[in-house]
Amino acid sequence: MRLRFFFLLIGVWLGLSAWAQTAMPTMTYVDADGATQTETSFAGSAPFTPTFKANIEGADGYTPRYEWQFYRNAETTPFLVRYDETTTYTFKESGSFSVKLLISFVQGNTTVEYEQDEVFTIAISESSLEFPNAFTPNGDGVNDVLQAKTGYKSITEFRAMVFSRSGKKIYEWTDPAQGWDGTSGGSPVPDGGYYLNVQAKGADGRVYDIKKVVSLLRKHYTQ
C-alpha cells in the first residue's frame, strides 16, 4: 500500500512539473533621452526598434522552442514570425501592431505549451516634417541651427542639403535630429538666403520633397 502511494505521489509530482514551465516576456527599447525602457506598449514615431526577450522559467530538462508572432492592424495572420529566444525588429511603417510569444517546452514525447497572456502593442504615428524659413546662428542658444521643426514624426528616410545662391553645396545631413549651424569648412558663412533641399520618406509612405530659400540672419539678431 505504501509503495502504491509512493508511485501515486511521483505521478502527481510529474504532472505538476509538466506545467511548471513558463516565461516572463519583456519588450525593451531606448528612448529619445538614451534611457532603456521596459514596457508592454509603445506609441510614437518610426523608426522604433524594440528588443523582445522570452525570459523562460522552470525549463529544467525541457527544450524550449520559441515563436514570436508579429501582427499588423488586428490581422489574424502574422506578417512575421521569429524563432529566437531574443529578437529585435525595427518598425518602419505607421499603424497598429501587436507581438506575442508562443513556446513549446519539449522533453521526449512530452510537450508543454505556453502562450503569452498580454500581448505587446505598438502604435506608430503618421509622418510629419516641416522646416523654418529662417534661423539665427548667433550663439544665443535659440534657433541657432537649421533643422526640422520640433514635432517631426515617423521619418524613416532623410537627406537634407544646403546650397549657396551660386549652386555650391555647403552642407548635407541624413538625420532629421541634426542640422546646419551656418558654417562651411568651420567658418561662418555670410548672412543671406540659402537654398534648402530635403528628400525624405515617412512611415506612412508619404514622400517629402522640400525646396525653399532659408534666411540666415546672424548679425541682425546679435545682442
Side-chain angles (χ1 to χ4, degrees), residues 159-196:
R159 184 188 184 194
M161 295 175 287
V162 175
F163 298 87
S164 68
R165 287 197 174 272
S166 64
K168 177 183 177 182
K169 185 168 72 172
I170 298 175
Y171 194 73
E172 177 178 348
W173 68 103
T174 57
D175 182 348
Q178 304 300 316
W180 179 46
D181 64 358
T183 65
S184 178
S187 299
V189 300
D191 283 24
Y194 293 84
Y195 295 106
L196 174 66

Side-chain angles (χ1 to χ4, degrees), residues 27 40 47 50 87 96 103 117 119 125 131 214:
M27 177 179 72
T40 58
T87 189
S96 300
I103 306 177
D117 292 330
V119 301
S125 65
F131 276 81
V214 176

Side-chain angles (χ1 to χ4, degrees), residues 5-152:
F5 181 68
F6 176 73
F7 281 120
L8 284 173
L9 285 177
I10 291 177
V12 170
W13 179 83
L14 287 174
L16 290 175
S17 67
W19 294 99
Q21 293 73 35
T22 185
M24 296 291 290
T26 56
M27 177 179 72
T28 61
Y29 62 92
V30 178
D31 65 18
D33 297 322
T36 299
Q37 304 292 341
T38 301
E39 303 287 351
T40 58
S41 63
F42 170 83
S45 299
F48 172 60
T49 307
T51 296
F52 301 94
K53 187 174 182 179
N55 300 307
I56 61 172
E57 297 179 353
D60 295 343
Y62 286 79
T63 300
R65 297 175 180 173
Y66 308 97
E67 184 174 313
W68 293 97
Q69 298 180 347
F70 292 72
Y71 294 86
R72 178 189 291 110
N73 298 329
E75 294 177 355
T76 57
T77 301
F79 70 89
L80 176 67
V81 177
R82 294 278 181 83
Y83 299 99
D84 301 312
E85 179 180 4
T86 301
T87 189
T88 299
Y89 181 75
T90 299
F91 293 86
K92 296 182 178 180
E93 300 178 10
S94 61
S96 300
F97 302 86
S98 61
V99 180
K100 73 176 180 178
L101 173 64
L102 306 178
I103 306 177
S104 296
F105 293 95
V106 180
Q107 185 183 67
N109 294 324
T110 302
T111 299
V112 179
E113 302 290 346
Y114 166 87
E115 181 173 353
Q116 182 181 352
D117 292 330
E118 183 180 8
V119 301
F120 300 113
T121 58
I122 297 97
I124 303 297
S125 65
E126 294 184 348
S127 66
S128 176
L129 181 66
E130 296 181 356
F131 276 81
N133 296 320
F135 73 118
T136 58
N138 53 23
D140 65 356
V142 179
N143 201 27
D144 281 333
V145 178
L146 173 61
Q147 59 188 155
K149 288 184 178 181
T150 302
Y152 70 87

